[in-house]
Amino acid sequence: MPQWYTRHVFRCFKTLERLADKLTGAAGPVFVTLAIILLSTGVLCFFEVIQPSLPWPWLTTPACILIALNLFAHYYYVCTISPGFVSDPPRASGTGWSWARKRDASRGRQLTGVRWSEDLRVTRAAVSKCRKCGEMRPERSHHCRICNRCVLKYDHHCPVRINQCVGLHNERHFVLFMVYLVISSFFYAVFGWKKVLLGLGWFDESWPYFMPPVAFLLTYILSVVMFLAVSAMAGWHLYMVASGETSVETQDHEHYRRVAKQRGDTFVNCYDLGWRTNLELFFNVGPNGYPLYTLFVPLRIEPYTDGRAWARRPGFEAHLGVRPGEELTDEDDD
């Protein structure tokens, strides 16, 4: 096949891809509004129709309220907190009622930048120049073609659910939102099936609730679908977190493993400190981070790093098995 033909086909697909990015970006606020309406409808249906019939109300009612608070709070955080752009000035430590308090052992010590335990080796990030915007950016940063800016610890751009990038400062809220969405949709599906039969008219009873049965049935179907879909997404993201990777890095590391294997080398991710330490660093909890209750109470916390220094395996300055010049960069759209 002639090269000019394949080149024009490739450019055509690239043009369509950019157009789709612009359309989804423009419709982002609409998607977020729709998500808020659906979440609110589902929560109202749950607390009016399902929750009063749950056993041990003294225990289940506070638990359900806490799950709902986490669901809405983390969605609000992930939609409103900037992911962290390379060009942004350093962020000051958060204060106020919405911020968690640091552990006693960590108070007075900075939890961002080069931090926090003698057991960890944290070194400054290598810096390179972005070929698209010209920013000098630290490693693990990537250029978002929709925002047209470089994002610290870029994971992906999510135009449908949150209308912005997932990066260093909101990635924790993104993962926790998915986890609580899975939990809430699971309980909705498990405890709501008898009410579905009532709404379908299987029993010789009238529908006694204010919410119309159609709204309940639709949210029930949506909860089942969301549980199946988001469970896979949340599980995959937690696996990547436990592996010390982002979505972009997972793809890059697969390429590095393949190239290293072809020449008889072994690729080793220098950010992978073991699943437990990786999770503690991501959620910034543990003996030298914030208390564990921050995973269950929707409070804001600072990431363990400012994005310009990273914890690494002992003795590693970079990935093992990647030779100079083999590092992948952002895809060139030109």
Side-chain angles (χ1 to χ4, degrees), residues 87-240:
S87 57
D88 289 346
R91 300 194 183 192
S93 298
T95 58
W97 63 269
S98 63
W99 286 84
R101 299 180 66 186
K102 303 172 184 177
R103 285 183 178 271
D104 291 336
S106 299
R107 284 191 198 138
R109 291 189 295 162
Q110 192 74 4
L111 286 188
T112 55
V114 180
R115 93 97 160 103
W116 33 245
S117 170
E118 296 178 356
D119 299 330
L120 286 178
R121 178 174 172 272
V122 183
T123 60
R124 302 302 298 179
V127 178
S128 62
K129 185 176 182 179
C130 177
R131 296 189 300 173
K132 296 183 179 181
C133 66
E135 283 279 356
M136 297 303 296
R137 61 187 186 183
E139 60 185 278
R140 308 193 81 176
S141 302
H142 289 269
H143 187 91
C144 174
R145 65 185 178 192
I146 299 177
C147 299
N148 198 28
R149 300 177 71 182
C150 284
V151 180
L152 295 168
K153 200 187 177 187
Y154 176 81
D155 190 275
H156 69 285
H157 187 97
C158 185
V160 176
R161 286 165 292 178
I162 67 173
N163 192 36
Q164 68 166 342
C165 290
V166 175
L168 175 67
H169 290 282
N170 64 355
E171 61 178 358
R172 175 181 179 272
H173 299 297
F174 180 76
V175 172
L176 286 175
F177 166 69
M178 289 195 296
V179 169
Y180 280 102
L181 183 58
V182 170
I183 294 173
S184 58
S185 59
F186 171 77
F187 285 114
Y188 199 109
V190 169
F191 293 109
W193 67 272
K194 289 185 179 179
K195 304 299 182 181
V196 171
L197 299 180
L198 179 61
L200 292 173
W202 283 36
F203 304 117
D204 191 17
E205 300 177 26
S206 60
W207 182 258
Y209 305 106
F210 174 77
M211 295 296 294
V214 173
F216 177 79
L217 293 174
L218 290 177
T219 53
Y220 183 85
I221 294 172
L222 182 62
S223 70
V224 174
V225 174
M226 294 299 291
F227 171 73
L228 296 175
V230 181
S231 292
M233 293 177 56
W236 178 242
H237 271 81
L238 287 172
Y239 172 78
M240 289 189 293

Side-chain angles (χ1 to χ4, degrees), residues 13 23 46 58 95 104 145 158-159 216 242 262 287 323:
F13 276 107
L23 290 176
F46 179 87
W58 56 272
T95 58
D104 291 336
R145 65 185 178 192
C158 185
F216 177 79
Q262 289 174 352
R323 295 179 179 177

Side-chain angles (χ1 to χ4, degrees), residues 39 232 270 321:
L39 287 174
C270 68

Side-chain angles (χ1 to χ4, degrees), residues 300-314:
R300 293 185 60 183
I301 69 173
E302 298 169 352
Y304 90 92
T305 176
D306 59 3
R308 293 170 173 81
W310 298 104
R312 306 178 195 271
R313 286 172 174 249

